[in-house]
Amino acid sequence: MIRSFVVFFILIPLVTFAQKSSEMVILPGEEYAAGTRVQNAYRGVSFIIPRDWRGAMPPDQRIFLMTSEQKAGVGLAIFQSSVSESDIIQYLKQSQNLGDNIILKPVGKPKINRSEITMEYTSMTSTGHALAKSGPFQNTIVFLFAGPVEDREYFLKVLQKMNTSVKFSKPDPGKLSSAWTRALSGQMLKKVSVDDSQGIFPTVLHLCPEGKAQATLPEDPTNIGNQPTLVDGNWNVIADGAQSYLQFTPSRGKVVRASLDVFGNYVILQGGKYHLTRSDVCK
């Protein structure tokens, strides 16, 4: 069942990764520019971000948010799998809470045209238009664009362009882990802050090509002088559902596995902040 949601339309500066592909796999927290084809590999859906818009998927949500510096308003892309037509209709018939006291109420009933379902919304000052489109692999995407009432026709045209740009493919979570691997290879992660009560997360981690790694582990209170420990090892990215994890396997000690996200100018490992810069150790 698709659930109602609350979103806030603030996109902050984000870490920029280079993905060498015409179709960019969405990494949580990374920002994408207008004209970019972005893909949710876990759901098997891609689309092109419309002109004058940019977008990102916040680390704590699974909704792709789009904003524009030229137009007031917001665009959402919601990815779903294995939902029925009745589930989609029921969702579209609900009022949409966009946060900041903006609640859009449905106008009439959803309109069905084969694999597409559309719905219009309104409030005292805003208008909204939604499109749900289903693919051949039990995957569905729901777009919702909303903004000032006077821009109703503009949002309709944007939604039509989004519709024509949608492509469905067989879901492939491996693409998500591959995108993270390309983005992190040759980089250094330096810990800023992290909830690490067990003292197992590296303070510095060099992620070299071909899976090689070097880490500076937290100080061991049992060591004389409390000096940080340098450890060689291997690293890889594992996809588990829609979440990816960075795994560091040291030559000695415990394997460390941490969830991967991005927020602002930081990479987030298991809720902790790490600076991302080019490694001066990797060859």
Side-chain angles (χ1 to χ4, degrees):
M1 173 69 73
I2 302 177
R3 298 179 179 178
S4 296
F5 53 87
V6 177
V7 293
F8 301 94
F9 315 133
I10 301 177
L11 289 180
I12 58 180
L14 301 161
V15 172
T16 300
F17 294 126
Q19 293 187 48
K20 298 178 181 179
S21 173
S22 57
E23 188 171 73
M24 308 286 280
V25 175
I26 298 170
L27 301 181
E30 183 179 356
E31 185 178 274
Y32 301 91
T36 305
R37 175 170 289 278
V38 293
Q39 181 193 53
N40 184 317
Y42 180 64
R43 302 298 187 188
V45 185
S46 72
F47 61 88
I48 297 174
I49 299 175
R51 181 179 179 180
D52 297 330
W53 291 74
R54 57 196 173 104
M57 181 182 286
D60 58 345
Q61 299 184 34
R62 289 297 175 258
I63 297 172
F64 192 84
L65 306 182
M66 289 170 279
T67 60
S68 171
E69 294 182 356
Q70 282 70 39
K71 287 287 185 179
V74 65
L76 310 177
I78 308 164
F79 306 95
Q80 296 289 330
S81 292
S82 302
V83 292
S84 66
E85 182 179 276
S86 60
D87 286 338
I88 297 171
I89 292 173
Q90 185 60 37
Y91 168 73
L92 294 178
K93 288 167 62 178
Q94 299 174 6
S95 295
Q96 303 298 327
N97 185 350
L98 302 183
D100 199 25
N101 296 319
I102 300 175
I103 299 178
L104 297 176
K105 296 185 179 298
V107 177
K109 297 180 179 180
K111 297 179 181 179
I112 303 173
N113 181 15
R114 297 181 181 179
S115 62
E116 300 173 7
I117 306 174
T118 57
M119 187 70 197
E120 183 175 355
Y121 302 89
T122 189
S123 72
M124 291 290 291
T125 59
S126 302
T127 183
H129 300 276
L131 164 70
K133 188 166 185 170
S134 298
F137 303 100
Q138 293 187 314
N139 40 12
T140 298
I141 187 166
V142 180
F143 293 114
L144 173 61
F145 277 81
V149 172
E150 57 268 25
D151 289 332
R152 178 180 181 276
E153 293 302 318
Y154 169 78
F155 288 113
L156 273 173
K157 291 179 180 179
V158 169
L159 200 61
Q160 290 168 359
K161 290 182 179 179
M162 299 293 290
N163 185 13
T164 58
S165 77
V166 172
K167 290 184 180 179
F168 292 102
S169 59
K170 187 176 181 179
D172 184 3
K175 286 185 178 181
L176 180 58
S177 59
S178 295
W180 271 114
T181 299
R182 290 193 299 271
L184 295 175
S185 184
Q187 303 295 311
M188 178 185 73
L189 293 170
K190 186 174 183 180
K191 183 163 67 176
V192 178
S193 66
V194 64
D195 181 10
D196 188 12
S197 58
Q198 296 180 350
I200 61 174
F201 287 95
T203 55
V204 177
L205 187 58
H206 296 271
L207 305 173
C208 300
E210 300 181 359
K212 301 297 182 181
Q214 184 182 91
T216 303
L217 299 181
E219 298 175 358
D220 185 348
T222 63
N223 287 343
I224 298 177
N226 282 350
Q227 294 299 314
T229 305
L230 292 176
V231 177
D232 292 326
N234 295 284
W235 72 281
N236 63 307
V237 177
I238 301 169
D240 184 4
Q243 180 65 59
S244 290
Y245 297 85
L246 175 64
Q247 181 167 287
F248 172 59
T249 305
S251 56
R252 63 181 187 276
K254 297 181 180 179
V255 175
V256 177
R257 189 185 188 206
S259 58
L260 265 172
D261 285 300
V262 181
F263 186 76
N265 293 317
Y266 303 104
V267 171
I268 306 298
L269 296 183
Q270 206 68 26
K273 294 180 180 179
Y274 283 75
H275 280 302
L276 180 72
T277 58
R278 191 70 185 172
S279 172
D280 57 358
V281 170
C282 299
K283 301 297 184 180

